[in-house]
Amino acid sequence: MKEFDLESYDYDLPKELIANYPILPKEKAKLLVYERRSQKITHTTFEHVLDFFPKNALVVLNDTKVIKARLFGSKHAFLPSKTTEVFFHRFFKNNTALTQIKGKIRVGDKIFFDANYHAEVLELLHNGQRLIAFYDNKTPLNQANILKLLEQYGHMPLPPYIKRADESLDTHEYQSVFAKHMGAVAAPTASLHFSQNTLEKLLKDFKHAFLTLHVGAGTFLGVETKDIREHQIHTEVLRIPKKSQEILQKSQEVLCIGTTALRSVEYFKRLENPNQEAFECDIFLHLANPILHVNHLLTNFHLPKSSLLMLVSAMVGLEKTKEIYQIAIEKKYRFYSYGDGMLIL
């Protein structure tokens, strides 16, 4: 069936519509509003986004914070050129970390970030990831000190389709104004549209709940199986505080800010008896695994053949998604992380 055929989720995007920088002020970004019941499309801007939010809906936000996950070092302690790139993914057991390292690397190799700090390769994993440990001279670093190291020496992990080095503005703009808990290596991009002023209005006027899904690098991996139902999606760390769980359990109408918030809600609401706050979220939403508990979604425009495009299709249908995306292209909407947005009602 074509809705499960990977090629059905392909589309052509002019390169000039890939947003390399954010729109400032944030409220000037374009917003496409699609009302499913009437099939009406409205073209507006984020100045008016809250005007379209249903008054009785619970608004769910992901307060993860992007870490400076891209490090550059040298394989030789006394050579100043830093040509080896280490991309931090997530913490593993015993203060080790799962990473990607560009170029040839062997177990036991060391990568130096300055005269004191370095990392040692402990294991080469079959999925291309490398297990490493960080050190200050000979002293292993704990997670808190590793985060400090990343903050001091790291670079913001801009997505691969942004063809430029990170700049000072990305430290602030590739981060939501309500980011709180460090751990993401990619931003929950729908959240980037909110200025402090718009956020304050949202929190004042709408019932809301926060959760934390630490977005992983797997969010940029395309689906490669011909039948999308055979795709094995990545796993991400999710934390939902008890207070937010209670609000979610009582809410009949839910609006999610971003696909990460939506995946989190859908994962949580399908658990039979959640008795904890921390989870490993691995839900893949598509037309064969449809959205059951979320009514509305604010999101950006996603890459071809991506699991996020399949999520949107699960909400509005494949043909309607392709039609809306074509309209967005014709109207010169900006795509991807720093791009414009879409509100599905």
Side-chain angles (χ1 to χ4, degrees), residues 176-217:
S176 74
V177 295
F178 50 88
K180 187 175 182 181
H181 301 289
M182 294 185 73
V185 299
T189 54
S191 303
L192 302 182
H193 292 290
F194 287 86
S195 65
Q196 189 63 42
N197 184 51
T198 304
L199 175 67
E200 289 173 3
K201 289 180 181 178
L202 186 160
L203 299 182
K204 175 177 173 289
D205 295 340
F206 293 89
K207 184 169 62 171
H208 56 274
F210 287 95
L211 51 78
T212 308
L213 182 82
H214 290 316
V215 191

Side-chain angles (χ1 to χ4, degrees), residues 22-33 43-52 173 177 189-202 298 333-334 338-341:
I23 287 287
L24 296 175
K26 295 174 183 287
E27 287 84 0
K28 296 301 181 183
K30 292 181 181 179
L31 177 66
L32 186 155
V33 181
H43 299 286
T44 182
T45 65
F46 271 86
E47 289 175 286
H48 307 290
V49 64
L50 298 184
D51 297 339
F52 292 91
E173 298 305 326
V177 295
T189 54
S191 303
L192 302 182
H193 292 290
F194 287 86
S195 65
Q196 189 63 42
N197 184 51
T198 304
L199 175 67
E200 289 173 3
K201 289 180 181 178
L202 186 160
L298 178 68
Y333 277 71
R334 302 163 73 252
Y338 273 148
D340 298 313

Side-chain angles (χ1 to χ4, degrees), residues 29 39 52 61 77 104 108 132 164 179 209 256 264 273 315 317:
Q39 297 197 15
F52 292 91
L61 306 100
K104 291 184 178 181
I132 70 173
R164 62 174 177 84
C256 284
S264 301
N273 185 28
M315 200 164 194

Side-chain angles (χ1 to χ4, degrees), residues 32 53 62 96 113 119 137-138 148 156 161 167 189 208 223-224 274 279 287 314 320 324 329:
L32 186 155
F53 281 18
N62 180 9
T96 58
F113 307 111
N137 289 314
K138 295 183 179 181
K148 290 180 181 177
M156 291 300 281
Y161 44 76
E167 301 174 19
T189 54
H208 56 274
V223 176
E224 295 183 350
F279 310 92
L287 285 164
K320 179 57 70 171
I324 292 170
I329 290 170

Side-chain angles (χ1 to χ4, degrees), residues 267-313:
Y267 177 87
F268 170 74
K269 295 276 269 187
R270 296 176 194 211
L271 297 174
E272 289 188 9
N273 185 28
N275 56 1
Q276 62 204 65
E277 294 189 5
F279 310 92
E280 292 279 332
C281 181
D282 62 353
I283 192 168
F284 178 25
L285 296 162
H286 49 76
L287 285 164
N289 186 29
I291 294 159
L292 304 176
H293 303 284
V294 175
N295 311 91
H296 317 287
L297 172 66
L298 178 68
T299 188
N300 280 23
F301 294 96
H302 303 291
L303 280 79
K305 298 183 179 180
S306 65
S307 62
L308 302 182
L309 183 60
M310 294 162 193
L311 181 156
V312 172
S313 297

Side-chain angles (χ1 to χ4, degrees), residues 124 150 174 343:
L124 309 181
L150 291 168
Y174 196 62
L343 177 61

Side-chain angles (χ1 to χ4, degrees), residues 5 34 58 88 121 147 175 189 261 263 279-280 282 289 325:
D5 183 353
Y34 174 59
L58 169 71
F88 176 95
V121 179
L147 289 173
Q175 195 81 271
T189 54
R263 289 181 63 240
F279 310 92
E280 292 279 332
D282 62 353
N289 186 29
Y325 269 52

